[in-house]
Amino acid sequence: MSQQPDPAPARQPLDEHTAAAVRAYAADQRAKVDVLASVLEDIAEHGYPAAESGVLWEDARDAHLERLADEQSRVA
């Protein structure tokens, strides 16, 4: 006598606004992954970029923090 697993419970449908928000989030995440994948493909094809062509992490961090501060001041 074989036992079959219980069927999966039915999914709870989302309202239109929530479904749209989930789709927007998925699209945003997909875009980020696509960017990462393209960078990795470029590295695989052409090798690592020269250190001289990069940006110091401190400079990138400071620029990012400035952008975050600008965004917060616009919201307030």
Side-chain angles (χ1 to χ4, degrees):
M1 194 187 231
S2 66
Q3 291 184 350
Q4 294 183 1
D6 292 335
R11 293 185 176 199
Q12 180 180 356
L14 301 175
D15 62 70
E16 289 181 31
H17 178 72
T18 303
V22 170
R23 285 187 192 97
Y25 179 75
D28 180 57
Q29 294 303 307
R30 186 173 291 117
K32 289 178 183 178
V33 171
D34 286 345
V35 169
L36 174 61
S38 68
V39 169
L40 294 175
E41 288 169 349
D42 181 70
I43 290 171
E45 183 73 24
H46 305 288
Y48 290 113
E52 299 81 30
S53 68
V55 176
L56 294 175
W57 73 268
E58 294 93 345
D59 295 340
R61 177 201 59 206
D62 293 344
H64 182 67
L65 290 174
E66 286 178 24
R67 282 192 303 272
L68 289 175
D70 289 344
E71 288 175 14
Q72 287 181 349
S73 65
R74 283 186 275 150
V75 172

